Amino acid sequence: MRILLVEDDRDVAGFVVKGLREANHVVEHAANGRDGLFMAASEQFDAIILDRMLPGGVDGLRLLETLRAQENTVPVLFLSALGQVDDRVKGLKAGGDDYLTKPFAFAELLARVEALTRRGKADSPVTRLAVGDLEMDLLSRSVKRAGQKIDLQPREYRLLEYLMRHAGQVVTRTMLLEGVWDYHFDPQTNVIDVHVSRLRQKVDKPFPKPLLHTVRNAGYIMRADNEG
Amino acid sequence: MDAARFKLSAIRLRRPPRAGTVARVPHCPGDRRRAFFARLRGSPLLRSAGLRFAALYAIIFGLSAVALAIFLWWATAGLLNRQVEAAINADAQGLGERYQEGGVPALILTIQDRLSQNVDENAIYLLADNDLHPIAGNLAIWPKEVSGSDSWFELTVQRGDRQALARLRRYDLPGGFHLLIGRDVGSRAKLRSLLTAGLLWAVLVMVVLGSAGAIAIQSLFRRSLADVSATANAISRGDLSNRVRISGRGDEFDRLAETINDMLDRIARLMDGVRQVSNAIAHDLRTPITRARARLEDAALHARDAGDLHAAVERATSDLDGIVSVFQGLLRIAEIEAGARRSAFASLDLYALLADMHELYGAAAEEQGQQIDLLAQPPLPMFGDRDLLQQAVANLLENALKFSPPGKPILLGAGRLGDRIEIVVADSGPGIPPEDRMRVTERFYRGESARSTPGSGLGLSLVQAVVQLHNGTLRLEDNHPGVRAVLSLPAEFSASRRLAKTDLRMQALPR
């Protein structure tokens, strides 16, 4: 994927660029709002990681508003030290697709950026999801693995749906909390892990090959081994 | 210092007038008056609210005194005048009737009768012929000032052997005769002059009393305000312990002093809170930062291989994450307490929210051999911030999960109580000792039993902040054993109405 990073802090930018390149992405970096706007408007990117407070007279919000005014729909993730709820709301209102507050864990950033690009592509309505021999019919809300029906609670179904929609990608606990439960706070206990392990009991345990993997220090990934 | 300024301005005023201004003779009254006012203007006296009130007092006092004098005058002297005129008119009517009945002889007879019987010793009658020669009556000559008829005259006449002030009226009779009727008003004039003198004295006394009252008011004002201003000065210099003295009279100034003192108490409490929080931040953030730093330094100096180094860096990173989460917790509480989040208020069903929380945390509880019982009846409509309420309930549930022993159920309940909704989270853990209950909502405060468990000491502070934002209260009760946390929140209708009116942050924690 081709990703543009607009970030003025040299250390943070270097760290993010290195990490994204290690994850096999092509990264361009702009150190101020003016350059960032120029690059975002003149080149094609799959995603933009955008700092809110930028030097050069064009801050992150204005950059994005200008882009959106030109009907540029590239997915944008705000990466900002402004972490109040109002700031977040402002960022999303200006056309941002996601908002991550500094300081951040790189795994979280990577997972969210990759989820963004996926979201951009999945425009056509999908009626069926499949990972390996696991199938989900979104219309009848039924789940089968190797032809065998699996009974799920409504919340387990939504959790599995979220994981399958992001198959092949790392999904963090925060993303699950936001995407499945619509909660925007940081639980101190391992509530998400418990729910994932319950889902695993139903989806993976009775079958020889696991599909739902734990990624250390990051979260979970849904993947058939032959895909990876 | 004021005296010096007075003298200075006086000297300045006595300088010879500059060219272009009209030269005045020194010490003329106008000049002196001007100098006085200029001196006043230069002094802080005229700028004093006390003086303004005093002047207002004097003016109102003076105006009412003048009004009283006018009324008094009208009621006494005016009444006498009107009585005299009424008597003269009555006489005129009576004499006119006599003249119509019996002509001039009857009239003369009547006048002589009246004078000899001395009906009214002040009565003056004079009947004159066409050439104003007296025919009958007690005046020797017709006063030449009395010319026209039907109008009142007041003049001095020769009455026997003495001069007398008389009020007179002339009537022209058919047949060319003229009749003059009047009253000697000498005594009335005496009364009037007495009254005038009395009123003038009264005005003088009034001016003196008014000025004295004004001065008294001003000094009262100055004295009452001097204390307030001295206190305010001391506070602005940084001495927060100063308070306005209360006289004990229970008057307006006392009430003002009490209000100011209450405000100062609250400011002092807030300052204390800030100091406590900054101390707590210093302690609770310094400790993990020190730990992270020590880990990194230790690894840099003593790590034997890359594995050691890696492990140390990872542990330091997780220490830093802990610091960040404390930091974010603090910011979140500050944000909530600032009331900035009230914009996110909306109608919501608390039952659905609690059912979701029950579902999210129920699984984690079962995993630890615990159990959460949901006890609530839908619907529970209220007006609030969904995210914050979720977080508050989550914090309470996490506390309960942390402290409740396995096998004992944790209660998550909610119900309507009049116009309020109460959410209850009750566990069977060690509980909070009564002496700690007031303090556990302070930032970073951790009770004895909580010291050994992980946590930042911010959980209940956040719950408290959220509850106050919603105009509710947080009660921590004894569950025998354990803690029973009760959030009392306004239900939908009363909440939206009250939100518009009151400042929610001012609510204090109930005892």
Side-chain angles (χ1 to χ4, degrees), chain B residues 66-386:
Chain B
V66 166
L68 184 72
I70 288 172
F71 175 75
L72 218 63
W73 182 262
W74 179 82
T76 53
L79 183 71
L80 285 176
N81 240 353
R82 284 191 297 281
Q83 270 176 352
V84 164
E85 281 167 14
I88 291 171
N89 281 335
D91 267 359
Q93 201 175 357
L95 293 175
E97 276 164 17
R98 296 295 297 155
Y99 179 73
Q100 271 177 1
E101 283 164 18
V104 176
L107 190 58
I108 294 169
L109 206 65
T110 311
I111 289 171
Q112 277 166 356
D113 265 6
R114 285 194 180 190
L115 287 174
S116 62
Q117 281 164 14
N118 206 357
V119 179
D120 181 351
E121 61 170 342
N122 291 327
I124 294 169
Y125 302 105
L126 183 61
L127 180 65
D129 64 12
N130 207 9
D131 302 324
L132 295 177
H133 291 305
I135 299 171
N138 54 356
L139 281 190
I141 50 160
W142 184 276
K144 54 184 173 299
E145 292 94 337
V146 180
S147 47
S149 70
D150 284 343
S151 57
W152 293 97
F153 298 91
E154 196 158 323
L155 41 101
T156 313
V157 290
Q158 191 67 33
R159 210 184 143 197
D161 52 352
R162 64 188 177 91
Q163 301 261 317
L165 184 68
R167 193 161 176 82
L168 303 162
R169 191 165 181 182
R170 165 180 152 169
Y171 298 91
D172 294 329
L173 302 176
F177 294 96
H178 305 284
L179 181 62
L180 191 68
I181 305 174
R183 286 289 185 279
D184 184 335
V185 291
S187 56
R188 195 210 66 189
K190 231 177 277 166
L191 177 77
R192 191 157 64 176
S193 69
L194 213 67
L195 209 63
T196 311
L199 283 177
L200 280 176
W201 276 109
V203 166
L204 194 71
V205 168
M206 185 202 78
V207 166
V208 171
L209 279 182
S211 310
I215 289 166
I217 285 184
Q218 198 219 346
S219 74
L220 196 75
F221 238 79
R222 207 172 32 205
R223 233 175 340 157
S224 303
L225 289 178
D227 217 49
V228 176
S229 115
T231 307
N233 271 330
I235 302 265
S236 68
R237 278 196 305 272
D239 177 10
L240 265 176
S241 65
N242 240 300
R243 291 292 178 273
V244 182
R245 197 161 32 88
I246 291 171
S247 65
R249 283 190 296 267
D251 56 6
E252 288 87 343
F253 284 109
D254 266 12
R255 254 171 290 156
L256 176 70
E258 275 164 24
T259 312
I260 291 176
N261 287 348
D262 282 353
M263 181 188 79
L264 291 175
D265 286 347
R266 189 171 160 74
I267 291 175
R269 271 204 306 278
L270 287 174
M271 294 290 287
D272 260 8
V274 169
R275 204 169 304 132
Q276 261 176 28
V277 168
S278 52
N279 287 347
I281 289 176
H283 178 262
D284 283 70
L285 286 178
R286 230 174 254 253
T287 312
I289 289 171
T290 309
R291 209 183 307 139
R293 192 188 181 287
R295 260 197 238 292
L296 289 171
E297 197 170 356
D298 181 50
L301 291 175
H302 305 116
R304 277 160 306 189
D305 53 33
D308 266 12
L309 205 61
H310 203 80
V313 168
E314 231 166 61
R315 279 211 303 276
T317 308
S318 89
D319 280 348
L320 281 175
D321 282 347
I323 296 165
V324 166
S325 85
V326 168
F327 203 65
Q328 272 168 350
L330 275 176
L331 286 177
R332 193 98 197 256
I333 293 170
E335 188 187 354
I336 295 166
E337 284 184 344
R341 291 221 46 184
R342 225 171 294 164
S343 54
F345 272 43
S347 292
L348 57 94
D349 180 12
L350 204 59
Y351 179 80
L353 189 152
L354 293 179
D356 276 2
M357 296 307 290
H358 177 243
E359 188 257 347
L360 180 67
Y361 279 95
E366 280 169 34
E367 214 68 15
Q368 298 173 37
Q370 291 167 315
Q371 183 191 329
I372 301 176
D373 293 341
L374 177 64
L375 212 82
Q377 290 291 320
L380 294 169
M382 75 162 286
F383 186 72
D385 185 318
R386 189 172 156 268

Side-chain angles (χ1 to χ4, degrees), chain B residues 358 365-366 369-375 397 400-401 403-413 424-429 479-483:
Chain B
H358 177 243
E366 280 169 34
Q370 291 167 315
Q371 183 191 329
I372 301 176
D373 293 341
L374 177 64
L375 212 82
L397 282 177
L401 285 172
F403 296 114
S404 210
K408 301 268 183 158
I410 293 160
L411 170 72
L412 172 61
V424 179
V425 178
D427 64 53
S428 315
N479 198 33
H480 307 287
V483 183

Side-chain angles (χ1 to χ4, degrees), chain A residues 84-86 101-103 155 177 181-189 191-192 194-195 197-198 216-217, chain B residues 314 324 328 332 335 340-341 343 353 356-357 359-361 363-364 366-367 386-387 390-391 394 398:
Chain A
Q84 295 219 327
V85 179
D86 274 356
T101 308
K102 288 179 188 171
R155 186 73 67 182
L177 201 65
W181 277 271
D182 192 23
Y183 285 173
H184 296 269
F185 63 87
D186 219 359
Q188 301 297 308
T189 43
V191 278
I192 297 298
V194 174
H195 283 272
S197 98
R198 292 195 160 190
R216 204 165 156 266
N217 287 335
Chain B
E314 231 166 61
V324 166
Q328 272 168 350
R332 193 98 197 256
E335 188 187 354
R341 291 221 46 184
S343 54
L353 189 152
D356 276 2
M357 296 307 290
E359 188 257 347
L360 180 67
Y361 279 95
E366 280 169 34
E367 214 68 15
R386 189 172 156 268
D387 284 357
Q390 279 168 350
Q391 179 148 25
E398 279 175 6

